[in-house]
Amino acid sequence: MTHMTPSDDAFATRAIHGGQAPEPTTGAIMPPIYQTSTYVQPELGGHLGYEYARVQNPTREALERNLASLEGGNFGLAFASGLAAIEAVVKTLSAGDHVVSEENTYGGTNRMFNKVLSRLGVDFTFVDSRDPEAVRDALRPETRLIHLETPTNPMMRLCDLEAIAEIAGEAQALLMVDNTFSTPFNQRPLEFGADVVVHSTTKYLNGHSDVIGGALVVDDEELFDELSFIRKSTGAVPGPMDAWLVLRGTKTLHLRMKAHNENGLAVARFLEEHPATQAVHYPGLPSHPQHALALRQMTGFTGMVSVELGSGERARTMVERTRLFALAESLGGVESLIGVPALMTHASVAPDRRDAMGVTEGLVRLSVGIEDPADLLEDLTEALKGL
Ligand code: P1T
């Protein structure tokens, strides 16, 4: 059972206890890692609620209840990766259906929509959803799904969740929101009217850069049943060990996110003041064009910061010089990472589309970790010297 009774407990309490109870046989306080592929049935046609581990796994279910509790939803579904979670939602559609997607998503999401799922007869339109009217204008009678990411990867654009939820409702289209960058500590899309929240749990939810995973959280039971059917029928489940690691990660989500938010803001302020930078993209800065919206729908602004340095050469110099910020794809771990999206996470996006969105070869993305902030600023000072 992945049904979650809504809890009145505060976020920190739900992070630690949500969806978990001591294991009844031994009293083990931590959910055991049920490392099994199948379950013995006492009689033909009479199982104990568990038949086969693609369909049910108690460790995975504990994680799902925990994530549902953190997002304030009724049902959670864990997947083998963030992309597998997004794909499952698109698989609720049929050939001939239409999707409106924010154009500045993670490059892999864009690649899956453009180069894989569109071949199956689902049509995609990509829009700049900073303007909710752009979403409305892209709607067609056959539009079934709107996909948003906010803040977007890597430009840190915001989508107005409440306004777009209203548009989705009028169009009777599902609204899916990728909440990977924000996490439920900073933003809970279901509260603004989204139908599906998606996560790459690889990132902040796990938080320790040792798992690839994904998740969906929904309120509606019928939608949950449909998504469960799709996952069971197509198979992109996480293993129990990975589910357990993510569940261990979420126990400290509130502490980690508080530190990520603080360090992210400190780095964004530092970079904005630095003479070597041309623009800093961070929703917590008053200079962010959607700062007012950020204050309305987010309670913290994460550890993700993008900075424009003006040329690919300058970006290369910076990312190759840092000592604490490791040059790597991914984000959301306790350790700081740095990269050039145009050459790394967004290399699969068409160059003209990248340029139009500002994902230039001079754009550097930082995933600010929770190391001592003075050391992080010192590292950046050294990396930008002479630029
Ligand atoms: O890697 P995976 O768990 O499949 O998650 C894909 C994904 C989905 N949504 C967002 C917002 C993401 O950022 C990602 C993955 N992103 C990176 C690997 C990255 O470095 O941006």
Side-chain angles (χ1 to χ4, degrees):
M1 277 288 287
T2 41
H3 186 261
M4 181 68 206
T5 316
S7 162
D8 291 335
D9 287 342
F11 191 91
T13 310
R14 282 182 281 133
I16 293 165
H17 295 286
Q20 294 160 76
E23 193 274 322
T25 316
T26 63
I29 193 163
M30 288 301 142
I33 302 165
Y34 284 88
Q35 193 76 44
T36 187
S37 60
T38 195
Y39 309 89
V40 177
Q41 309 189 7
E43 57 181 338
L44 193 58
H47 58 78
L48 303 172
Y50 294 90
E51 299 149 281
Y52 185 63
R54 174 164 24 80
V55 189
Q56 309 104 343
N57 180 283
T59 316
R60 195 172 83 208
E61 289 164 6
L63 171 65
E64 291 167 339
R65 289 190 299 264
N66 181 260
L67 296 179
S69 165
L70 293 179
E71 284 289 359
N74 287 326
F75 305 98
L77 276 148
F79 285 83
S81 69
L83 285 182
I86 296 170
E87 186 194 21
V89 179
V90 180
K91 282 177 179 159
T92 64
L93 275 50
S94 304
D97 287 345
H98 175 239
V99 179
V100 178
S101 170
E102 158 61 36
E103 60 181 359
N104 174 218
T105 58
Y106 165 57
T109 305
N110 184 274
R111 177 177 57 198
M112 175 169 69
F113 288 173
N114 253 324
K115 299 195 173 153
V116 180
L117 297 174
S118 62
R119 294 208 315 255
L120 307 179
V122 176
D123 214 12
F124 292 84
T125 302
F126 298 92
V127 299
D128 179 349
S129 67
R130 280 177 295 187
D131 177 10
E133 290 311 309
V135 175
R136 194 195 299 279
D137 291 347
L139 293 173
R140 300 180 196 161
E142 60 274 21
T143 306
R144 296 278 174 274
L145 177 67
I146 296 172
H147 176 69
L148 302 179
E149 205 179 275
T150 183
T152 64
N153 180 356
M155 296 309 296
M156 306 303 286
R157 297 172 173 183
L158 304 185
C159 317
D160 184 331
L161 293 173
E162 200 167 12
I164 299 176
E166 203 175 308
I167 292 168
E170 286 166 17
Q172 295 187 309
L174 281 183
L175 177 59
M176 156 158 64
V177 178
D178 190 327
N179 205 30
T180 298
F181 268 35
S182 288
T183 82
F185 183 74
N186 288 323
Q187 170 177 280
R188 286 172 299 283
L190 296 177
E191 291 175 2
F192 295 96
D195 300 293
V196 185
V197 177
V198 56
H199 279 281
S200 168
T201 57
T202 312
K203 311 298 184 313
Y204 285 116
L205 294 184
N206 176 56
H208 296 77
S209 306
D210 50 15
V211 164
I212 296 286
L216 300 174
V217 177
V218 302
D219 259 341
D220 182 73
E221 186 157 13
E222 226 173 280
L223 180 58
F224 169 69
D225 288 343
E226 191 178 357
L227 291 165
S228 302
F229 174 78
I230 286 167
R231 188 185 58 177
K232 151 174 114 173
S233 305
T234 57
V237 292
M241 178 76 192
D242 283 358
W244 185 88
L245 281 166
V246 178
L247 188 56
R248 185 164 76 164
T250 60
K251 286 180 193 301
T252 54
L253 183 66
H254 52 298
L255 299 176
R256 288 185 286 107
M257 289 318 297
K258 197 164 171 288
H260 282 294
N261 289 345
E262 284 170 13
N263 284 1
L265 185 60
V267 165
R269 283 185 176 142
F270 166 85
L271 291 172
E272 190 171 47
E273 297 282 297
H274 199 286
T277 69
Q278 294 186 354
V280 177
H281 308 288
Y282 186 74
L285 290 177
S287 60
H288 189 285
Q290 295 170 291
H291 184 58
L293 174 60
L295 294 173
R296 259 200 334 270
Q297 67 185 24
M298 304 172 79
T299 51
F301 310 107
T302 92
M304 297 305 296
V305 182
S306 292
V307 55
E308 176 58 54
L309 290 181
S311 78
E313 204 179 323
R314 289 160 62 80
R316 174 184 289 274
T317 302
M318 180 183 183
V319 303
E320 288 183 351
R321 270 192 192 163
T322 48
R323 176 180 64 90
L324 287 174
F325 282 85
L327 177 58
E329 304 210 2
S330 205
L331 60 110
V334 290
E335 64 290 312
S336 294
L337 302 181
I338 194 165
V340 177
L343 303 180
M344 299 167 72
T345 54
H346 292 69
S348 63
V349 179
D352 58 323
R353 297 303 314 141
R354 276 202 315 255
D355 285 344
M357 293 185 291
V359 186
T360 64
E361 293 191 2
L363 186 84
V364 170
R365 190 189 75 178
L366 300 98
S367 172
V368 182
I370 61 173
E371 298 94 337
D372 188 283
D375 289 334
L376 294 178
L377 297 187
E378 170 68 18
D379 194 29
L380 296 175
T381 301
E382 289 301 315
L384 290 170
K385 242 181 203 155
L387 284 181

